[in-house]
Amino acid sequence: MSKLKFFRNTNYRAASLWDKLLLGLLLAVALAFTARAASAQGPTPTDDDVNRIAKQLYCPVCESTPLDVCPTEACRQWRDLIRTMLAEGKSEAEIKQYFVEHYGARVLAEPPNRLVTYLVPAVAILLGAFLLFRGFQMWIKPSRRETGSAEAAPEAKPIQDPYIARLEEELKKRN
């Protein structure tokens, strides 16, 4: 029995030492991963960081309301989503792209292609003004063919519809 007691004590001491080393090693590894994950997240984004991006987005639900001032619950959730994405380390462009992919380009406060956005309406207005100008010119001034034919044959009677000629004759008889 003394051998068993001695054997148990030695194993206990040896196992205890190995257990302590193994436990210490596991704790060190766990702390290293925890510290690494915490440093990857970075500091939590402030309200100013969130609102800086939210000002550049419009609420997909409310019409013409920037995301940073919209009082709806949906907008609060989208601002929380922006905060989460910033905490994950996503850039401003990635967050905007996420919203465009999910809700369309209408959520952007500034259109993606500014040149086309401003050029197309300007060209349409100029084209419309030109067409109106030409239409008024043609309406007011007779064409050259009509004036040229009237000067060449002033005595020539224009060809009329027989119904109109008969109507004019009856009107003359009444007067």
Side-chain angles (χ1 to χ4, degrees):
M1 194 151 182
S2 65
K3 283 186 174 183
L4 186 60
K5 198 178 198 185
F6 177 74
F7 182 71
R8 221 179 357 170
N9 283 344
T10 340
N11 280 342
Y12 176 72
R13 286 183 187 162
S16 175
L17 181 63
W18 284 110
D19 285 343
K20 288 178 184 177
L21 285 174
L22 184 61
L23 183 62
L25 183 62
L26 286 173
L27 282 174
V29 169
L31 284 175
F33 280 119
T34 306
R36 186 174 178 168
S39 68
Q41 281 183 336
T44 57
T46 64
D47 288 340
D48 292 336
D49 295 334
V50 173
N51 286 335
R52 181 176 38 82
I53 296 173
K55 282 180 186 177
Q56 300 173 24
L57 298 170
Y58 276 94
C59 174
V61 176
C62 310
E63 202 166 308
S64 301
T65 306
L67 197 59
D68 65 327
V69 295
C70 185
T72 63
E73 179 65 22
C75 289
R76 188 193 62 74
Q77 290 173 356
W78 287 319
R79 286 189 297 269
D80 289 343
L81 177 64
I82 292 172
R83 183 181 313 278
T84 304
M85 293 173 89
L86 283 172
E88 290 172 356
K90 298 213 175 175
S91 69
E92 182 178 318
E94 290 173 328
I95 295 171
K96 284 183 184 179
Q97 185 61 36
Y98 171 83
F99 276 88
V100 169
E101 287 172 358
H102 283 82
Y103 305 107
R106 65 188 174 95
V107 297
L108 294 176
E110 187 174 301
N113 193 348
R114 296 177 78 188
L115 180 64
V116 172
T117 305
Y118 296 119
L119 192 61
V120 169
V123 168
I125 289 171
L126 289 174
L127 182 64
F130 174 74
L131 290 174
L132 278 174
F133 177 73
R134 288 295 293 159
F136 285 137
Q137 268 187 338
M138 291 172 57
W139 187 28
I140 293 174
K141 295 181 183 178
S143 68
R144 290 187 179 140
R145 283 183 294 171
E146 291 175 8
T147 57
S149 64
E151 291 172 0
E155 294 112 19
K157 199 171 189 180
I159 301 173
Q160 287 187 345
D161 186 22
Y163 177 77
I164 294 175
R166 186 173 164 205
L167 181 64
E168 285 181 4
E169 284 177 26
E170 288 182 15
L171 287 174
K172 284 180 186 178
K173 287 180 188 177
R174 257 190 183 179
N175 291 337

